Amino acid sequence: MVTSCFPICVMALAACVLHAGAIDTFIAAVYEHAVILPNRTETPVSQDDALMLMNKNLDILEKAIKLAAEKGAKIIVTPEDGIYGWAFTRETIYPYLEDIPDPQVNWIPCTEPSRFGRAPVQTRLSCLARKNSIYVVANMGDKKECDANDSKCPPDGRYQYNTDVVFDSEGKLVARYHKYNLFLTEVQFNFPEDPSYVTFDTPFGKFGIFTCFDILYYDPAVVLVDKFQVDSILFLTGWMNTLPLLSAVPFHSSWARGMRINVLAANLHNTSMHMTGSGIYAPEAVKVYYYDMETESGQLLLSELKSRPRISSNYPTVVDWSAYAKSVKPSISDQPSFPGILFFDEFTFIELTKDVGNYTVCQKDLCCHLSYKMSEKRTDEVYVLGAFDGLHTVEGGYYLQICTLLKCQTTDLKTCGTPIGSAFTKFEALSLSGTFHTSYVFPQLTLSGTQLASEQHYEVLSDGRLESSGVPLPVLVMALCGRVYEKDPPPLTRTG
């Protein structure tokens, strides 16, 4: 009897130990970094010159890491390209790369700096994590030699990857992720042949990691949440804000809300490239965010998050995004619809001509319903309700279903869909819904100045309605952005 009980007792003891080591909440940190860029050159610099530039950026990141640790943060996320920038060719990026091993090798670079060859950046990151007892998440470049036996080996004999690394509080390399969905301009890097789903466990939850453009696709972003059941996503990005629907803070926070997941999003800060917008987002609330096009300095953000949000009492319920919209009779209006271009996609728009109204606009299989009440209908501003149901084909191919209320740039209807950053019209009440053919819908409400509405002024109902009342600032855009992943085109041949 004693023998047969032993395995159960061991498992129970292990569970008790794990539970005792776990914590319910933790302090998270992200750092929006104004990266120091190298001088543009057509020829590669020396490794020493490359390291000198990287150390300048690491000096800045070191201060942020130390301060975050002093404030009690358990983990800090820094941006994509935050160590060396982004203006490279395949040849000129090479001096900045290091060979990053598989984390299964059980390596602490801070104590064994030469174990896998020259690795000064990994060593410094490891030491920063170890000396400050904090998980450090950073982006750098990985290189892997290959030869003629590999039919896909590039002509220069190596693969180069845009890579995220994670070092734990002891300085050990615990995660390495090669960016799967490269942006069109990332000619310096290779596409991984297959997506990787990188996760790691901590006493404060299970984490997944991906980079920038990955957030628009099913692999690996959705898979990490749905199939690997991570508690928090680490999101490293160099995001160029694209109003009205793809500005960093509104979109990244809407992804956290739609996927019901913690997201730690660290962006670069470069106003000339329209790069700003970092935040810490919980499934039920925006915890803290930063958006600043006026200054050129970085910013450290900290907030407390639930380690395992799925077991929280206020964890958002599953939303049936089309339930309400399919149950209501479409509003008939004498207002004609008209086409308009929003980020290269042709939307169907209808103008809001009254202070109060109910409108429906449809495109293909998607019908969008809006009920609203303005505080005052201004003559110098025009708002429209828009619908898009189709394949986006510029800067990537992905299928969208979008319902949106937005302000036009001017009173000329031809400007509807053109980016605009300010508004003056206030709405007392708004309700937006759509007949979506996907369960992946991301709700956002953006106010004048690209500010976010607080949770007390809007809610997502279980029947798919995005509702708002008493918002203190003018509304810039309200949207339900759906992704129909199964209608995406097949990925491009993943070479180069």
Side-chain angles (χ1 to χ4, degrees):
M1 292 294 292
V2 172
T3 303
S4 63
C5 177
F6 180 73
I8 299 175
C9 297
V10 170
M11 285 189 291
L13 178 60
C16 291
V17 170
L18 181 62
H19 180 74
I23 56 178
D24 295 330
T25 64
F26 68 101
I27 302 296
V30 303
Y31 183 64
E32 179 160 313
H33 176 40
V35 61
I36 300 171
L37 299 173
N39 295 324
R40 287 183 176 271
T41 176
E42 298 299 321
T43 58
V45 300
S46 68
Q47 283 189 329
D48 288 342
D49 286 345
L51 182 58
M52 185 181 303
L53 182 280
M54 291 190 286
N55 274 327
K56 289 180 181 179
N57 282 299
L58 286 166
D59 288 344
I60 299 171
L61 297 178
E62 179 176 358
K63 294 178 182 178
I65 291 166
K66 287 183 176 179
L67 181 57
E70 290 171 1
K71 297 290 186 179
K74 296 292 185 181
I75 188 168
I76 182 170
V77 184
T78 62
E80 178 186 29
D81 299 331
I83 293 177
Y84 46 60
W86 59 84
F88 295 102
T89 65
R90 182 172 179 83
E91 292 74 28
T92 59
I93 190 70
Y94 185 66
Y96 296 83
L97 308 181
E98 295 183 6
D99 188 346
I100 306 172
D102 188 312
Q104 292 183 357
V105 298
N106 192 28
W107 180 39
I108 300 177
C110 190
T111 59
E112 298 179 280
S114 302
R115 180 178 169 190
F116 294 100
R118 185 177 185 273
V121 174
Q122 293 174 85
T123 299
R124 186 164 182 188
L125 290 170
S126 170
C127 290
L128 285 173
R130 184 178 180 88
K131 292 176 181 177
N132 293 284
S133 299
I134 187 174
Y135 280 69
V136 171
V137 185
N139 177 265
M140 57 185 296
D142 188 10
K143 60 182 180 181
K144 292 287 178 282
E145 294 184 359
C146 53
D147 55 37
N149 293 325
D150 179 355
S151 62
K152 296 181 180 179
C153 182
D156 55 18
R158 62 181 183 268
Y159 293 104
Q160 300 179 171
Y161 298 113
N162 180 333
T163 308
D164 300 331
V165 290
V166 182
F167 295 92
D168 70 9
S169 56
E170 295 296 322
K172 184 170 73 172
L173 178 68
V174 294
R176 179 197 67 184
Y177 168 69
H178 292 152
K179 184 178 179 181
Y180 184 62
N181 298 287
L182 297 176
F183 194 59
L184 299 179
T185 58
E186 291 186 86
V187 295
Q188 66 269 39
F189 293 120
N190 295 97
F191 287 98
E193 186 172 356
D194 298 303
S196 56
Y197 309 110
V198 175
T199 69
F200 61 96
D201 290 300
T202 75
F204 44 96
K206 181 178 181 180
F207 289 79
I209 188 168
F210 57 80
T211 315
C212 203
F213 210 43
D214 286 326
I215 201 171
L216 293 172
Y217 295 91
Y218 186 78
D219 281 315
V222 176
V223 176
L224 284 171
V225 179
D226 283 359
K227 296 185 178 180
F228 287 83
Q229 295 284 292
V230 296
D231 299 304
S232 301
I233 288 292
L234 307 175
F235 181 58
L236 296 77
T237 186
W239 194 277
M240 292 179 285
N241 289 293
T242 306
L243 290 167
L245 299 178
L246 286 175
S247 189
V249 169
F251 184 70
H252 302 157
S253 62
S254 76
W255 197 88
R257 184 65 180 260
M259 296 302 297
R260 303 186 300 154
I261 191 79
N262 291 332
V263 174
L264 286 63
N267 197 6
L268 291 171
H269 190 86
N270 187 302
T271 56
S272 67
M273 295 289 290
H274 303 283
M275 290 177 175
T276 184
S278 302
I280 300 174
Y281 313 114
E284 76 286 351
V286 173
K287 306 299 285 189
V288 62
Y289 74 93
Y290 177 74
Y291 179 94
D292 183 2
M293 286 291 290
E294 303 300 322
T295 67
E296 298 301 327
S297 58
Q299 182 72 28
L300 178 66
L301 304 176
L302 299 106
S303 184
E304 185 176 42
L305 287 173
K306 295 182 178 67
S307 300
R308 293 161 185 83
R310 285 186 176 85
I311 63 174
S312 172
S313 59
N314 63 343
Y315 187 61
T317 59
V318 174
V319 176
D320 183 342
W321 289 105
S322 63
Y324 178 80
K326 288 180 178 179
S327 70
V328 300
K329 185 178 180 180
S331 300
I332 299 175
S333 173
D334 54 5
Q335 286 292 115
S337 62
F338 62 95
I341 302 299
L342 193 164
F343 194 46
F344 307 103
D345 296 325
E346 186 174 296
F347 277 62
T348 301
F349 290 125
I350 189 169
E351 182 184 358
L352 279 56
T353 59
K354 301 176 182 179
D355 290 0
V356 180
N358 293 284
Y359 286 93
T360 297
V361 64
C362 300
Q363 187 180 105
K364 296 182 182 177
D365 294 330
L366 177 67
C367 284
C368 303
H369 305 302
L370 175 71
S371 298
Y372 72 94
K373 182 180 180 182
M374 294 179 181
S375 299
E376 178 188 1
K377 178 69 174 71
R378 298 174 61 103
T379 59
D380 59 345
E381 290 192 324
V382 169
Y383 282 80
V384 293
L385 171 65
F388 177 74
D389 185 355
L391 181 66
H392 177 83
T393 58
V394 177
E395 296 182 350
Y398 41 89
Y399 201 98
L400 299 167
Q401 285 190 323
I402 298 175
C403 292
T404 183
L405 161 76
L406 57 85
K407 182 200 166 185
C408 301
Q409 189 178 61
T410 70
T411 56
D412 184 348
L413 296 181
K414 292 180 181 179
T415 68
C416 298
T418 304
I420 180 72
S422 61
F424 296 94
T425 300
K426 293 184 180 180
F427 287 81
E428 294 182 18
L430 285 165
S431 180
L432 180 66
S433 61
T435 57
F436 293 98
H437 292 253
T438 177
S439 60
Y440 297 102
V441 178
F442 308 107
Q444 60 174 278
L445 178 58
T446 310
L447 308 180
S448 183
T450 318
Q451 299 185 60
L452 296 185
S454 65
E455 283 69 26
Q456 68 187 49
H457 292 124
Y458 79 94
E459 63 178 330
V460 177
L461 304 183
S462 60
D463 61 8
R465 281 177 287 175
L466 175 57
E467 295 199 335
S468 175
S469 62
V471 179
L473 294 176
V475 172
L476 199 62
V477 61
M478 185 182 202
L480 294 169
C481 299
R483 278 288 283 114
V484 189
Y485 296 108
E486 62 269 23
K487 288 190 176 183
D488 283 1
L492 299 173
T493 303
R494 305 189 73 81
T495 59

